[in-house]
Amino acid sequence: MDIFTKKRLAIASVVYWLLLAYIVVALVWWFIALENQNHRMADYKFSELKLDDPAFQSKYQAIADEMRIKDVQYIGEGATFLVVILIASIFVYQAVRRQIRLQSQQENFMMAITHELKTPIAVAKLNLETLLKYSLSDDKKLKMLQATLQETNRLNTLVSNILVSSQLEGGRYRMAKEELELSDLVKTTVSEFRNRFPERHWQCEIDSEIDINGDPLLLQILVNNLIENAIKYAPKESPITIKLLQKGKTINFQVIDEGPGIPDNEKRQIFEKFYRIGNETTRTAKGTGLGLYLCKKIVEDHDGHIRVTDNLPRGSNFMVSFTVKHTHEQ
């Protein structure tokens, strides 16, 4: 969370608690005023009684009972109002804090998306203009074309994340559930990443013929995003490990890196929409805060679970598990 957001939260919290304190004090003052009024009215009625009146005792008792009933009534009403005010204040306080955080994350998202969209377009445009203007060797042409393709793939992934995220959240995406071989999907994706990042060191352990009932596009985005995330944060000289294993009715997919890791207090938050560690003006890794949010949404829509743990001695281990209705005979 950036400093500006923390200041806004601090100001909102101070104003909120001052207003709540004022409301509670006003409620207490109202209760005391009614109690005093009730007792003054009872004292006045007591003073109007005559000691030689044969009905003195019964009239005195009726006034005392009326005073006690009103005392109980005021206490009950005051306690009810206080409980309602406190419960409502908790909901309002949490809603305001969530709104401020969401607004800050959306602002960061707009900053990130602007940079993320402009960078691959600028690189691709520059490479194509260079190829048109200059006569280059075949090796240089190949490198520039590969770089352009890499940036185009980045742009395609980014646009897919934004569109699918919007459709899933709005309930407009019609998820296809079809039998597909997850092993082939993961192997093909890893092969594409090997071609895009030949300097990277890849370690793969992928069982064959692992079938799953799901949406091919969403599962492709899931695998892409987790591998992209590992590439983004892991040092270039460190290995990236991909595992796809099936044990009984459980399919486990893991992407393991040796990056800086994720603090324990942020392991759940990273799956929130627009959430990114650090702030947009200081972080160096590219991203929009949609990738991991989309991964969690896709996994949950396929009745699976996703979590992240520490990869010792350093790095992160993203683990996805699915439960299949039948086991595949191998």
Side-chain angles (χ1 to χ4, degrees):
M1 189 186 302
D2 56 50
I3 296 175
F4 181 64
T5 303
K6 289 181 179 179
K7 286 183 178 179
R8 290 167 64 188
L9 284 173
I11 292 171
S13 298
V14 170
V15 172
Y16 172 83
W17 290 118
L18 286 175
L19 288 174
L20 180 61
Y22 172 79
I23 293 171
V24 172
V25 169
L27 181 63
V28 171
W29 179 86
W30 168 80
F31 172 75
I32 294 173
L34 286 178
E35 280 287 283
N36 289 338
Q37 183 184 33
N38 182 35
H39 284 259
R40 283 197 301 270
M41 289 296 296
D43 290 341
Y44 174 76
K45 290 178 181 180
F46 285 145
S47 67
E48 291 293 308
L49 295 177
K50 295 181 180 180
L51 293 175
D52 56 354
D53 187 348
F56 173 82
Q57 188 64 35
S58 61
K59 289 180 179 179
Y60 184 91
Q61 188 62 43
I63 294 171
D65 289 343
E66 183 184 5
M67 182 182 69
R68 282 194 295 272
I69 290 172
K70 287 188 175 181
D71 282 344
V72 173
Q73 178 186 344
Y74 296 150
I75 291 172
E77 289 177 351
T80 301
F81 284 140
L82 182 61
V83 170
V84 170
I85 288 171
L86 290 177
I87 292 175
S89 65
I90 291 172
F91 281 107
V92 171
Y93 181 68
Q94 291 177 340
V96 170
R97 288 180 66 87
R98 278 197 302 268
Q99 185 61 34
I100 291 175
R101 284 199 184 98
L102 181 60
Q103 185 178 351
S104 174
Q105 290 169 356
Q106 287 174 336
E107 290 171 357
N108 287 341
F109 171 75
M110 291 307 298
M111 292 172 62
I113 200 68
T114 301
H115 175 75
E116 288 285 285
L117 287 172
K118 288 178 68 176
T119 301
I121 292 173
V123 171
K125 181 181 178 182
L126 179 62
N127 287 347
L128 293 174
E129 287 176 346
T130 303
L131 289 170
L132 287 173
K133 288 182 180 180
Y134 302 100
S135 178
L136 304 175
S137 65
D138 291 341
D139 287 343
K140 287 184 178 180
K141 285 182 181 179
L142 180 61
K143 286 182 180 179
M144 295 194 77
L145 287 173
Q146 287 176 338
T148 303
L149 180 60
Q150 183 174 322
E151 293 300 324
T152 305
N153 286 332
R154 256 186 64 198
L155 188 60
N156 181 61
T157 300
L158 175 63
V159 173
S160 296
N161 282 347
I162 296 172
L163 291 177
V164 173
S165 174
S166 175
Q167 290 172 345
L168 286 175
E169 196 168 69
R172 299 187 302 274
Y173 186 87
R174 292 186 178 182
M175 193 168 72
K177 284 292 184 76
E178 60 184 67
E179 193 77 17
L180 61 96
E181 190 166 322
L182 188 59
S183 301
D184 283 348
L185 187 150
V186 174
K187 287 177 182 177
T188 301
T189 304
V190 172
S191 177
E192 291 174 355
F193 274 100
R194 284 183 188 272
N195 293 332
R196 288 171 57 190
F197 302 94
E199 74 283 0
R200 289 280 186 173
H201 179 52
W202 301 88
Q203 296 178 346
C204 298
E205 186 180 352
I206 302 173
D207 284 351
S208 300
E209 299 182 353
I210 294 180
D211 294 331
I212 189 171
N213 193 279
D215 187 293
L217 174 61
L218 295 184
L219 291 173
Q220 180 71 66
I221 291 174
L222 168 67
V223 176
N224 272 345
N225 284 354
L226 290 179
I227 297 177
E228 285 273 11
N229 191 72
I231 292 172
K232 188 188 304 179
Y233 292 102
K236 290 184 178 180
E237 65 278 2
S238 66
I240 293 174
T241 303
I242 314 292
K243 292 184 180 181
L244 178 65
L245 308 170
Q246 180 170 353
K247 186 176 182 181
K249 294 185 177 182
T250 302
I251 297 173
N252 291 309
F253 174 63
Q254 293 175 262
V255 178
I256 306 168
D257 65 68
E258 295 184 4
I262 301 168
D264 290 338
N265 63 325
E266 298 196 79
K267 280 185 169 64
R268 288 189 177 181
Q269 291 176 290
I270 60 171
F271 294 106
E272 295 177 5
K273 192 175 184 180
F274 302 135
Y275 186 86
R276 298 191 67 209
I277 298 174
N279 65 74
E280 213 57 46
T281 58
T282 59
R283 65 171 66 94
T284 56
K286 301 172 183 177
T288 61
L290 280 179
L292 292 178
Y293 161 78
L294 196 53
C295 287
K296 185 173 187 290
K297 184 81 172 107
I298 291 170
V299 171
E300 289 178 346
D301 285 347
H302 285 79
D303 301 320
H305 302 280
I306 184 171
R307 63 191 180 102
V308 59
T309 60
D310 293 328
N311 175 40
L312 300 177
R314 68 191 303 267
S316 300
N317 182 2
F318 283 86
M319 297 183 289
V320 176
S321 61
F322 298 107
T323 301
V324 294
K325 294 182 181 179
H326 66 276
T327 56
H328 189 86
E329 296 295 335
Q330 296 190 33

